[in-house]
Amino acid sequence: MKKPTRASAAKAKKGRKTSVARSKAAPRRPTKRPAKPPRRGASGYDGAKDTVTATIRGLRTKLKEAQRRVAELEAAADTDFLLEIPNRRGFERELARAIAYMKRYRASGALIVLDVDRLKPINDSFGHGAGDEVLKAIAATLTRQVRASDVVGRLGGDEFALLLWNLSGTDAKAKAVAFEQAVDELSFVFRGQHVTAGASAGVALLGAQSDPGRALEEADAAMYVRKAQRRHEPRIRLVGS
């Protein structure tokens, strides 16, 4: 037998290596392409989009309703339910805002605290319904005599407060007297009897240096001084035939 030549041996050896390499190499798996998103016209995509849109619309509606309800509750918390004017909380807020404005723009104004004289005897004689009628009439009278920019509030019980803009000391005192006279002129009939109620007013001037709490105390103190003076004025008549 003839021995293979060197060229033939080398060729055979190379063939063996190639076949071994091919056998060891792992077979290639076909590459998976990423799934394409559904087209806009596909029913599934449009349905999901409509659901999200409807959910957003519903949430916005609920948010608006909640905001409206919050605004109503805040307004109710600042309003006297009987007289429909600011209560103490609401008036004090308006007073603080006004003084902050005065400090910034160097404006001025006046605070008047007005107390109804002898409202308790009316309640005791004719009931609290009669007293409520008197308070409503006084609130309406005061509101008619102020400007749209002014504020009339009820501090509690038979005590009112008025925030008036751009008044000098002389004008503020004259305005307080006018409020007293307007209340003095009110007349009511309860159980066939004519009833009148007076009012006493105290003034505190407001400006850039004012403090809300101190201004209320000053006007309140002036009101009590005025009330003591009016006890000696014979023109106030509580109940008469």
Side-chain angles (χ1 to χ4, degrees), residues 118-130:
R118 299 181 183 177
L119 182 65
K120 188 177 183 300
I122 295 178
N123 286 329
D124 294 341
S125 300
F126 305 103
H128 288 277

Side-chain angles (χ1 to χ4, degrees), residues 3-236:
K3 294 182 179 180
T5 61
R6 291 183 177 179
S8 298
K11 188 174 181 180
K13 186 178 181 180
K14 183 177 180 181
R16 288 196 299 271
K17 289 182 178 180
T18 301
S19 61
V20 172
R22 287 178 179 174
S23 64
K24 290 183 178 180
R28 293 185 179 179
R29 296 180 180 177
T31 304
K32 292 183 179 180
R33 296 182 179 179
K36 294 182 179 180
R39 293 175 300 173
R40 290 184 178 274
S43 59
Y45 179 82
D46 288 343
K49 183 178 179 181
D50 292 342
T51 301
V52 172
T53 302
T55 301
I56 293 174
R57 188 181 298 113
L59 290 174
R60 286 177 176 171
T61 300
K62 291 180 179 180
L63 177 60
K64 289 182 179 179
E65 178 64 22
Q67 290 174 338
R68 183 189 65 81
R69 182 58 178 161
V70 168
E72 290 179 353
L73 292 174
E74 289 180 345
D78 290 343
T79 304
D80 185 272
F81 72 95
L82 175 66
L83 306 181
E84 297 183 350
I85 59 176
N87 56 18
R88 175 178 283 274
R89 181 175 182 268
F91 186 84
E92 288 180 348
R93 177 177 295 180
E94 292 296 327
L95 179 60
R97 288 176 179 174
I99 292 178
Y101 180 91
M102 293 175 186
K103 290 180 179 179
R104 183 171 183 179
Y105 297 102
R106 297 192 178 277
S108 62
L111 171 64
I112 297 178
V113 170
L114 183 145
D115 189 80
V116 181
D117 293 332
R118 299 181 183 177
L119 182 65
K120 188 177 183 300
I122 295 178
N123 286 329
D124 294 341
S125 300
F126 305 103
H128 288 277
D132 290 346
E133 184 175 337
V134 172
L135 292 174
K136 289 179 181 179
I138 292 175
T141 299
L142 297 177
T143 302
R144 285 195 300 267
Q145 297 198 23
V146 300
R147 298 160 293 185
S149 58
D150 300 331
V151 181
V152 178
R154 182 186 183 189
L155 298 182
D158 54 1
E159 194 169 57
F160 293 83
L162 300 98
L163 170 61
L164 309 176
W165 288 89
N166 301 322
L167 287 182
S168 64
T170 302
D171 292 338
K173 291 179 180 179
K175 196 69 176 175
V177 172
F179 290 146
E180 290 178 346
Q181 292 175 348
V183 176
D184 289 344
E185 292 172 359
L186 293 176
S187 179
F188 308 89
V189 177
F190 300 125
R191 298 176 189 171
Q193 298 189 49
H194 293 275
V195 178
T196 60
S200 302
V203 180
L205 298 181
L206 301 175
Q209 305 301 322
S210 297
D211 174 79
R214 185 170 297 178
L216 280 170
E217 292 176 358
E218 181 180 345
D220 199 56
M223 178 270 296
Y224 278 109
V225 172
R226 178 61 178 159
K227 184 178 285 288
Q229 295 174 349
R230 284 173 62 84
R231 288 195 184 111
H232 305 288
E233 296 179 0
R235 69 171 179 271
I236 299 176

